[in-house]
Amino acid sequence: MNPIRNNRALTAATLLGLTMVAAACGNSDNGSNGGNAGASSAPASTEAASTAPASESASASPSASDAGASPSAANGNGETLTVYLNDFDDIVKPMFEEQTGYKLNIVSGNGAEIMSRIEAEKGNPHWDVVWMDSMPSIEGLDESGQLLDGWAPKGADKLTDFAKKFVPASQGYYPTGTHAAGVIVYNTGKFDEASAPKTWKDLADPKFKNMVGMADPAVAAPAYPFVAYFFQSLGMDAGKDYFSSLIKNGVHVYPKNPNVTDALKGGEIQVAALQESNAYAYKNGGAPINIVWPEDGSPGSVRVAAIQKNTQHADAAKAFVEFLLDPKTQQALIDKGDESYFEPSIQGVTAKPDRDANAKLVVADAPWASKNEAEIKMWFADNSVK
């Protein structure tokens, strides 16, 4: 069995926190659609054809607005907003501060770090907004009553048909984009198009034994939405059977997607289930790889933004969510961001031109994935280290 690259201690601590925040299944119904066309309901998943911690905020001035009001775009007078996120801090900070007059105190980290921090601060939250590609975890925060509900930001009416499916009935969070948490990547020096894997089932083929890598769902924010889709769409038992077949075939599990890319570069693996931005960045750098979007779909991770229920900076928090739903902001994330390959959530935004125009995304239902998050992550941790 090949060595597993995850941190067991971090996994155990994370799972303990997730067990406490995971909540019962809600009533959100994420349907399916192709591009921006009409959608039909699909209970198991949503499909689409794709068209180190910082310091805490020193400001504690109360907001002047109530929970139902929309913030003004007026000068923020230097009020500081604390945002927990896992990407795009170098882009959103200067843009938001210049446009609104508010100041951003950003706390960045991977999905496990951010969620563990939120759980540790549950009695005294230090965050105002959380923005991560970890919709099931954010759903858990909503179900446990930690989010500001019942508020519709300006710009929400411009959500694409696909993105609208991810807004919960509570209006506790809003999607800012969806990316493939995993596409199939293979080394063209080892395989040609005929011999390369084409489906997710192929990764368990003995000819790829000890050659496949993936990110750890207990550490990397998008890796849990990736595995959650299989557990829901196949059923829990069949999902366990599928990942057991990958483990028996010698799959390497790395903490995060950049670690998977490094393993490809070093030749430790030849095939990977890799987040699409990492895959395209690696290929665009001249790497001898091809990217496969399986016909049965690539599990997607939805990046969502949510406001802490008892924030003392509600105006600033609402302004930040509306900023994220601005087409200019999403276009800047695509044009300049490290994680720039994704399907935008707002109409009028253009995805990367080299992104597969027929890319099919499939997304696990957020309430289901939230309800089963701790169990699935624990099963994966227990079995992948054997």
Side-chain angles (χ1 to χ4, degrees), residues 33-107:
N33 78 324
N36 290 327
S40 60
S41 176
S45 65
T46 299
E47 301 181 7
S50 181
T51 30
S55 62
E56 299 300 334
S57 169
S59 174
S61 59
S63 168
S65 68
D66 60 34
S70 180
S72 168
N75 193 307
N77 297 318
E79 182 179 351
T80 300
L81 180 74
T82 296
V83 177
Y84 287 9
L85 50 69
N86 67 330
D87 283 310
F88 298 119
D89 46 306
D90 57 334
I91 297 176
V92 298
K93 181 177 173 65
M95 284 185 66
F96 179 70
E97 292 182 344
E98 180 179 356
Q99 291 181 26
T100 67
Y102 293 113
K103 299 297 183 182
L104 279 189
N105 173 46
I106 291 178
V107 176

Side-chain angles (χ1 to χ4, degrees), residues 224 227-228 231 236 368 372-381:
Y224 175 65
V227 302
F231 277 95
M236 288 293 283
W368 186 95
N372 293 281
E373 184 168 6
E375 179 184 352
I376 291 173
K377 287 183 175 181
M378 184 65 77
W379 179 89
F380 200 93

